[in-house]
C-alpha cells in the first residue's frame, strides 16, 4: 500500500468516526430519528472494503454510512438523508438505513437482514452476462448467515460461478444475541466452505482488509467464481441507538477497543509512512471540518414538500 | 392461438427487441416451462437468457431485482403463486419499494409472472389466489390476463416498461383460444368492456370473466335486464373511470371473484362503489366470491368452494329479485 | 400497567399454567425482546422455554408449526411484521392449512405475534401493516390488541387455545397505560364498543382507535352528532353482530385504518356494510386510510402517509357536511 | 437383517409398486386427479426408511404413498384419499400430496418443496424438550436442498443438537431440471458437511438403506445431534402424471432399471434367505390382493357431503 492510499484510508476512517459521532449527537438532539446503526469500531473494515472494491457494484446493510461516504457519496448528502432532508441522497425518503446511489454503484442500504444478498447475486449475473470486467460485492453481518437468503445465494453463486464477493462483517452479535448461541460456528466462513474459496481477515486492521479484499476481487474478476471473506471485528456501540448494548461486559469491550482500527492505522502512518503528529492532526481536522460542514448543510437543508409523497411511485405516470 | 402461445409470443418478441430481456425460473429453459409458456425459447436465445433456477423462489425474485439493478430486464416465472409466498419479502420489501425509497434513483424494469387459482384438484397448497395481497402493495403494477389478446399485449408492455409488474395468469386459461389484434393499440391499464349493457354492471377478472359470460344470457333472460360485463385487466392501478361510467348508467354492481370472500380483492371494488358512487346505486351491491376455506382436494368440495357459472347465475337472480333489479 | 407488561403477564401466566408453552424468536430470551415484552421470563423459565433463534423468520414460524405438532404450545415472536413476509409460506401454507387439509387430524395450538404499523421514522422496510393479507387467510384467527385489557386477555386466550392465532400489536402502543380487568370475562372474538353513540358508527382497531377517540369530541361538537366508536379486536373472524346493531341504530359508517387505502382491510368492512346493510345506510360510507405509497422516512411525509387525529377529524367533518350526517 | 424383516420389507415394496401402478391406472381412468407423483423405482428406499425409523416422527413430501402405507397406514384409506373419498385418511380433503396420520406419527404430505423441513426441526425440538427417546426424520428430494428452508434447518438443528435425521432422496432431478445444472454438486450431502455427520447410501438397495438409517437413528437417539443421509436413486416415471419425463434418455433409464430395488431384494430373498419362487409369489399375490382391495374400497367409498366444506376450519366453533 502506498502512502497516498494509506493516508486516504486513514482520512476516510476518521471521517467515518466523526460522522458517526455527529450522527449520534444529532440523534440524541432529535434531528435524526428512526433506527440509527453506528459503525464505530468498524470504520477500518468499511473504508478498506470500499477502497479495495472501488469499481464494482456494492450492496450492503443498514449499517452503511461509513461505506457510503468512503465510496464517494458526499457526506453532506448522506447527513442530510439522516436528517430527512430533501437534499439527502434519497431526498429524505429513505433515511439512515436506505442510502442509494447508482452513480457510485452503491445499492443500499437494505434493512431486511440478508435481503440484499440475492439482489447482489442477480447483479453479478448481469455483470457476467454483459461480460463486464468488474464484479459485485455484498456486505452482510454475521446474523445474516443464518438466513435462507444467504444460503440460497451461496448455492446459486457457486453453481453459476458468478463474479461475487461475499463479505461477512462478523462482529459477533446480532442485536443482543451472540452468534455462537444461534449458529454452530464462531466463524461463519465454515458455511461457505463447500461452495467457494473462503478467507478470513482481522476486520480491525484496515490494511489487512484491503489486501485480502484486493486478492479476492482479483479472483472473482479473473473468473474464479465467488469468494467468501470474513472479517472479525467489534462494534463499539449498541446495535442501534435504541440498544444500550449491556449484554457485553466491560472486559469484552476493553479487549475490543484495544484493537481500535484508527489507532492502529495511525501508528502505521507514523511508523511506516513517517507521517508527523502534525500531518496526522491535519487529516483529522480536515475530517472534522467535513463533518461539521455536513451537519451544517443538513441542518440548513429544507424538508421535502408534502407533494413529494406521491413522487416516484412508478417510473412515470401510469 | 392459445393463451400460453400468446404469452410465449410476447416474451419472444420482447427478447428479440432487447437483448437485456432474460427469463428465469424453475424449468423455464430446457423443459419449456411447466405450463409450456416458454417452450422453444431456449433453443432460440440460449441458456444464458432462459435461466433454469433451483427451487428457491426467494432468490428467483431477489435475483431478478438484482438483475434489473444491473441493467437487465428480467422476467421471472414462479411456477404457481402458492410458491410466491416464499418470495414475498423480495416482492414487497425490495421489488416494490426500491424505486420509491431511493427517490427514483433505482429503477426496476422487471416482471414476475405466475398462474394462480383453482385448477383441477391440485388441493390446498396449489390452488390459491393472492391478487388481493399483491394489489395492496404500493409500487407494484398488477395485471391479470383473462384472454389471449390482453395476455399478449399486456405482457409485452410489462416486459418493455420500466416498472415492476406482477403478471397474473390463471391455470385454467393456458389453453384458451383467441386472436391477437395487432392493429389496435391496447392500453393495459384500461378495463375491458367484454359486453355492453345498461342495467347491471358485472365486474370481474381472470377466469371468472368467462364464467360470468357463461351465466349472463340466462340472467338477462330471466331478469329481463341487460348486463354490462367488465374485465378489470389492471388490478392495480384500477381503471375507476370505466367502472364509474358503467355504474352511472346501470346503478347496480356485482363483483365476481374466485378467491375467498373474506378480505378478497372484490371488497376493494364494492367499497369504492359504496364510498364514491353511493348516490348512483339503486340496489345493494353484490359480491360473489369463494368460500372462506382452504381449497379441498375432492372435486365436489373444490367446486363448492369457488363460484361456478351456475352459482353466479343463481346468486345474481336471487339478488335481482330481492333488490328489485 | 403498560401494554407490554400486560402482554408479558399473559405469556407469564400461560407458561406457569402449562409447561408446554414455549416462546421463540429473535432476542426474546436473554435480551428480553426488542420491545421488552418477554423481559424477565428467561430467568424464570430458562433458555429451553425462551428460545433465542437466529434471524430466520421462515424457520421461526416453521419450527413453531413443528413444535405444535410435537405437542408444545409455541408462541413465536417476529420482531416486526415486515420480517414476517419471509415466513409467509409457513404462515399461510402450513400454519393456516394443516388443520383443515388433514381433516382435523393435526391441531396447531400456536401463536405468532408481532408489532406492526408506522412508529417514528423507521422508514420503508420497518413500517408496514399486513392485517389485510393475514385476515384473508382461511384457518387463521387474527387478533389486534389496541389496549392493555384486551392485550392481556386475548393473548392468554390465544396461547391456551388450540388454534393458530396471529396476534397483532402496534409499535406505538407498548407504553400505553391501562388496567387489566380480572373480574369480567373477556371474549376475544367480540368487538369492543369503546364509546357509545347514536348517529355515526366509527369502526377501527389497533392504534387508530386512540386517534379516533382523540378526534371524536371535536367531531361531535362541530357536527352536533354522537359517535359510536367500535374497536374490532378480532380481525378474523369479524364480530359482524356488533357492527350490525350499531349500524342499524346510526345508519352511517366510517372505517379508519392506518394501512394503505388500496386493498386495505377496511374495504372489507365497508363492502360488508354496502352488501348487507345497504338499506340501513343513510349516507355514503367513509374510509379513512393511509396513502398508497411506501412509508417515507421524513417525519412530515410519514405523517402525511397515515391518518392522524387531525386528518380523521377533518375528513369526517367534510364527509358529514357533504352527506348531511 | 432377519428373514422376517427381509420378507416384510419385500412385501411392502411390492405392495408399494402395485399400489403406484394401480394409482397410475386409476389416474388415467379419471378416478384420481390433481398432481399424482409416483414412487416407482424408489420403493426400496421408501420402505426401508419407514422400517428403520419405525418409532419416531416422520415428515415428508408429496411423493409419499409408499411411505404412508409402509408406515402402517391402511392402503384402503390411502387409496380412498387419492380417490377423494370421505373414507380417505384426510377425508378426501387432502388428496395424494397430503396424507396425514398422527396415529402413525406421519405428518405429511407437504407439497411445498422444503416446507416440511422447518416443521421437522420444530418437532425435534419438542422431542428433545420433552426428553422423549425417539427422534424425528424428515425426507426431502434433491431439489429441496437448494432452498432456504433446508439451509436454515441444517443450521438450527446443528446449533441446537437436535435429534433429527435429514434424509435426502436424491433422484437427480427436480421435475425436468437435473440437479447438477442448478447445484454445484451431484451429491447434496456436501452442503450438510459443515453442520453434521453425513452418510451416503445406494437408494436402490433396500437393505443398505435400512442398515444406514438404523445407524443414523441410533446416533440421533444417543444425543449426537442431527445426521444427514443421502440416498442416490432413480424414479422411473415422470415427475408427476402430467410430466412425460422425456428429458431423460433411454440409456439413462436403462441403467436405472438395472438397479431395480425389487429385483434386487427378490434375489436376496432367494439367495440369502432361501425363499422359494412360490413363497415369493405368495407375497406378491398377497400384495396384489391388498391393492385390489384398496381400489375396490376406494371406488365404493362415498364422497364427502357438501357440508364438510366448512368442517375443521378451526378446532372448535369460534
Ligand atoms: C429479516 C430481518 N429480521 C430481523 C430484523 C431485525 N434486525 C435488524 S438488524 C438485526 C441484527 C443483524 O445482525 P448482523 O447481521 O450480525 O449485523 P450487525 O447489526 O451486527 O452489523 C436484526 C435481528 C431485520 N431487520 N430483518
Ligand atoms: C416451493 C416450491 N416450489 C416449486 C414447487 C413445484 N415443484 C413441485 S415438486 C418439484 C420438484 C422437486 O424435486 P425434488 O425435491 O428433487 O423431489 P422429487 O420430485 O425428485 O422427489 C417442484 C419444482 C413446489 N411444490 N414448491
Ligand atoms: Mg453482527
Ligand atoms: Mg429429485
Amino acid at each position: 500500500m502506498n502512502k497516498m492510499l494509506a493516508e486516504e484510508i486513514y482520512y476516510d476512517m476518521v471521517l467515518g468516526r466523526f460522522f458517526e459521532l455527529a450522527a449520534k449527537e444529532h440523534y440524541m438532539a432529535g434531528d435524526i430519528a428512526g433506527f440509527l446503526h453506528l459503525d464505530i469500531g468498524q470504520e477500518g473494515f468499511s473504508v478498506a472494503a470500499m477502497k479495495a472494491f472501488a469499481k464494482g457494484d456494492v450492496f450492503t446493510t443498514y449499517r452503511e454510512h461509513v461505506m457510503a461516504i468512503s465510496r464517494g457519496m458526499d457526506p453532506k448528502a448522506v447527513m442530510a438523508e439522516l436528517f430527512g432532508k430533501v437534499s439527502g441522497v434519497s431526498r429524505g425518503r429513505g433515511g439512515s438505513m436506505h442510502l442509494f446511489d447508482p452513480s457510485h454503484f452503491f445499492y443500499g442500504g437494505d434493512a431486511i437482514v440478508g435481503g440484499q444478498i440475492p439482489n447482489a447475486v442477480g447483479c453479478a449475473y448481469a455483470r457476467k452476462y454483459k461480460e463486464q470486467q468488474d464484479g459485485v460485492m455484498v456486505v452482510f453481518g454475521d446474523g445474516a448467515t443464518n438466513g435462507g437468503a444467504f444460503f440460497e445465494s451461496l448455492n446459486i453463486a457457486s453453481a453459476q460461478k458468478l463474479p461475487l464477493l461475499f463479505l461477512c462483517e462478523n462482529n459477533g452479535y446480532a442485536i443482543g444475541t451472540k452468534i455462537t448461541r444461534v449458529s454452530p460456528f464462531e466463524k461463519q466462513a465454515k458455511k461457505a466452505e463447500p461452495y467457494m474459496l473462503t478467507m478470513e481477515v482481522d476486520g480491525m486492521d484496515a490494511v489487512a482488509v484491503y489486501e485480502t479484499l484486493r486478492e479476492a476481487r482479483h479472483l472473482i474478476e479473473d473468473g474464479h467464481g465467488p469468494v467468501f471473506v470474513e472479517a472479525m471485528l467489534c462494534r463499539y456501540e449498541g446495535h442501534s441507538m435504541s440498544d444500550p448494548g449491556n449484554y457485553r461486559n466491560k472486559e469484552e469491550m476493553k479487549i475490543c477497543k484495544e484493537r481500535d482500527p484508527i489507532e492502529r492505522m495511525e501508528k502505521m502512518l507514523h511508523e511506516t509512512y513517517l507521517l508527523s503528529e502534525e500531518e496526522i492532526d491535519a487529516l483529522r481536522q480536515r475530517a472534522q471540518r467535513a463533518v461539521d460542514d455536513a451537519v451544517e448543510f443538513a441542518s440548513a437543508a429544507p424538508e421535502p414538500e408534502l407533494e413529494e409523497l406521491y413522487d416516484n411511485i412508478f417510473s412515470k405516470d401510469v | 392461438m392459445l393463451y400460453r402461445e400468446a404469452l410465449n409470443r410476447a416474451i419472444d418478441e420482447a427478447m428479440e427487441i432487447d437483448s437485456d430481456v432474460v427469463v428465469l425460473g424453475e424449468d423455464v429453459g430446457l423443459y419449456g416451462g411447466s405450463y409450456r409458456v416458454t417452450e422453444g425459447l431456449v433453443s432460440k436465445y440460449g441458456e444464458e437468457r432462459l435461466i433454469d433456477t433451483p427451487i428457491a423462489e426467494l432468490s428467483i425474485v431477489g435475483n431478478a431485482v438484482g438483475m434489473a439493478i444491473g441493467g437487465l430486464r428480467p422476467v421471472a416465472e414462479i411456477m404457481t403463486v402458492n410458491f410466491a409466498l416464499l418470495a414475498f419479502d423480495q416482492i414487497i420489501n425490495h421489488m416494490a419499494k426500491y424505486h420509491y425509497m431511493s427517490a427514483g434513483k433505482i429503477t426496476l424494469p422487471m416482471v414476475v409472472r405466475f398462474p394462480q387459482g383453482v385448477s383441477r384438484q391440485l388441493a390446498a397448497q396449489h390452488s390459491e389466489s393472492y391478487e388481493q395481497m399483491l394489489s395492496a402493495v404500493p409500487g407494484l403494477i398488477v395485471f391479470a390476463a383473462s384472454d389471449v389478446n390482453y395476455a399478449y399485449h399486456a405482457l409485452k408492455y410489462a416486459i418493455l416498461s420500466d416498472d415492476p409488474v406482477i403478471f397474473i395468469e390463471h391455470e385454467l386459461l393456458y389453453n384458451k383460444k383467441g386472436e391477437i389484434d395487432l392493429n389496435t393499440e391496447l392500453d393495459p391499464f384500461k378495463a375491458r368492456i367484454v359486453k355492453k349493457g345498461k342495467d347491471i354492471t358485472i365486474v370481474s377478472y381472470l377466469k371468472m370473466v368467462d364464467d360470468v359470460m357463461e351465466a349472463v344470457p340466462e340472467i338477462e333472460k330471466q331478469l329481463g335486464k341487460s348486463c354490462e360485463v367488465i374485465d378489470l385487466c389492471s388490478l392495480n392501478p384500477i381503471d375507476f373511470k370505466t367502472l364509474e361510467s358503467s355504474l352511472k348508467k346501470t346503478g347496480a354492481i356485482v363483483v365476481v371473484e374466485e378467491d375467498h370472500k373474506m378480505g378478497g380483492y372484490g371488497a376493494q371494488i364494492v367499497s369504492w362503489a359504496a364510498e364514491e358512487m353511493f348516490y348512483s346505486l339503486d340496489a345493494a351491491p353484490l359480491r360473489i366470491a369463494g368460500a372462506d376455506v382452504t381449497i379441498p382436494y375432492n372435486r365436489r368440495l373444490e367446486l363448492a368452494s369457488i363460484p361456478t357459472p351456475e352459482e353466479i347465475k343463481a346468486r345474481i337472480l336471487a339478488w335481482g329479485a330481492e333488490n328489485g333489479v
Side-chain angles (χ1 to χ4, degrees), chain A residues 33-34 81-82 84 92-93 97-98 110-111 175-177 181 243 303-304:
Chain A
E81 189 60 34
L82 272 53
R93 221 177 294 162
M97 302 192 283
H98 305 304
D110 193 7
I175 308 187
T177 297
R181 294 185 57 239
D243 167 29
E303 300 222 14

Side-chain angles (χ1 to χ4, degrees), chain B residues 116-263:
Chain B
Q116 69 169 34
V118 171
S119 171
R120 240 197 114 87
Q121 294 188 255
L122 301 186
Q125 293 176 330
H126 281 73
S127 304
E128 298 281 351
S129 296
Y130 296 136
E131 74 278 12
Q132 66 96 358
M133 300 192 189
L134 294 166
S135 304
V137 181
L140 295 179
I141 289 170
V142 181
F143 292 153
S146 72
D147 79 350
V148 166
N149 193 46
Y150 187 80
Y152 165 77
H153 285 287
L155 183 54
K156 191 166 165 188
Y157 169 91
I159 299 173
L160 298 175
S161 85
D162 283 342
D163 293 307
V165 179
I166 298 288
F167 195 90
I168 308 183
E169 301 155 19
H170 192 287
E171 307 228 343
L172 290 180
L173 292 177
Y174 286 116
N175 290 320
K176 181 173 171 175
K177 289 204 181 89
E179 294 303 321
I180 295 178
D181 176 357
L182 290 171
N183 301 317
T184 326
E185 236 188 286
L186 182 144
D187 176 355
F189 295 97
K190 235 182 117 37
R192 184 168 65 99
I193 299 178
V194 184
K195 175 192 168 303
K196 283 215 162 289
K198 57 186 183 30
D199 305 312
I200 305 172
T201 299
I202 308 182
V203 179
S204 194
Y205 53 94
L206 275 180
K207 176 174 172 288
M208 283 296 126
V209 174
D210 293 345
D211 290 6
V212 166
M213 287 302 287
E214 198 178 322
V216 155
E218 194 62 25
I219 293 169
E220 294 193 324
K221 209 170 105 193
Q222 293 205 27
L223 285 184
K225 305 273 169 167
S226 84
C227 300
E228 178 141 304
V229 179
I230 299 179
D231 175 3
L232 281 175
C233 296
S234 172
L235 303 187
N236 187 20
I238 297 171
D239 174 10
F240 284 120
K241 258 202 213 132
T242 298
L243 297 186
E244 188 179 324
S245 32
S246 179
L247 211 42
K248 274 199 177 138
K249 176 170 64 180
T250 63
I253 184 168
V254 177
V255 180
V256 185
E257 70 199 294
E258 186 180 302
D259 194 15
H260 318 298
K261 182 161 185 184
M262 171 71 199

Side-chain angles (χ1 to χ4, degrees), chain B residues 93 97 124-125 128 132 136 261 263 268 275 279 287 323:
Chain B
N93 274 324
K97 288 181 183 162
Q125 293 176 330
E128 298 281 351
Q132 66 96 358
K261 182 161 185 184
Q268 172 66 30
E275 260 201 297
Y279 302 104
R287 263 187 81 198
N323 290 271

Side-chain angles (χ1 to χ4, degrees), chain A residues 183-202:
Chain A
S183 164
F185 317 114
E186 195 189 327
K187 304 201 173 155
Q188 312 311 314
K190 194 100 186 120
K191 297 170 179 172
E193 274 171 16
Y195 304 92
M196 60 194 71
L197 182 73
T198 67
M199 303 177 182
E200 188 192 320
V201 66
D202 177 355

Side-chain angles (χ1 to χ4, degrees), chain A residues 32-35 81-84 92-98 110-113 143 146-147 174-177 181-182 242-243 247 303-306 308-310 313:
Chain A
I32 300 173
F35 288 134
E81 189 60 34
L82 272 53
F83 275 59
R93 221 177 294 162
S96 149
M97 302 192 283
H98 305 304
D110 193 7
I112 302 302
V113 169
N146 299 316
I175 308 187
T177 297
R181 294 185 57 239
V182 290
S242 37
D243 167 29
Y247 37 85
E303 300 222 14
E305 297 294 325
L306 279 184
E308 287 216 9
L309 186 62
Y310 295 99
I313 295 176

Side-chain angles (χ1 to χ4, degrees), chain A residues 37 62-63 111-113 141-144 169 171 173-175 235 239:
Chain A
H37 306 83
Y62 46 84
R63 197 183 297 287
I112 302 302
V113 169
D142 47 288
E169 164 247 300
N171 57 18
Y173 287 87
I175 308 187
R235 67 163 151 82
H239 169 72

Side-chain angles (χ1 to χ4, degrees), chain A residues 88-204:
Chain A
V89 279
S90 306
R91 299 187 71 80
R93 221 177 294 162
S96 149
M97 302 192 283
H98 305 304
L99 306 172
F100 288 96
D101 193 347
S103 74
H104 289 94
F105 306 98
F106 193 87
Y107 306 104
D110 193 7
I112 302 302
V113 169
Q116 76 280 20
I117 311 180
N119 300 161
V121 170
C123 190
Y125 189 93
R127 292 293 156 258
K128 189 177 177 188
Y129 175 83
K130 290 177 173 248
E131 297 176 2
Q132 282 155 326
Q133 163 70 18
D134 304 317
V136 178
M137 177 164 81
V138 58
V139 188
F140 47 88
D142 47 288
T145 70
N146 299 316
F150 168 68
F151 290 109
E152 290 185 1
S153 299
L154 289 179
N155 191 58
I156 293 173
S158 166
Q160 301 188 343
K161 276 190 161 296
L162 298 181
L164 180 57
L165 200 166
F166 289 86
L167 179 55
C168 179
E169 164 247 300
N170 187 344
N171 57 18
Y173 287 87
I175 308 187
T177 297
K178 213 177 158 72
I179 182 73
T180 44
R181 294 185 57 239
V182 290
S183 164
F185 317 114
E186 195 189 327
K187 304 201 173 155
Q188 312 311 314
K190 194 100 186 120
K191 297 170 179 172
E193 274 171 16
Y195 304 92
M196 60 194 71
L197 182 73
T198 67
M199 303 177 182
E200 188 192 320
V201 66
D202 177 355
M204 305 301 271

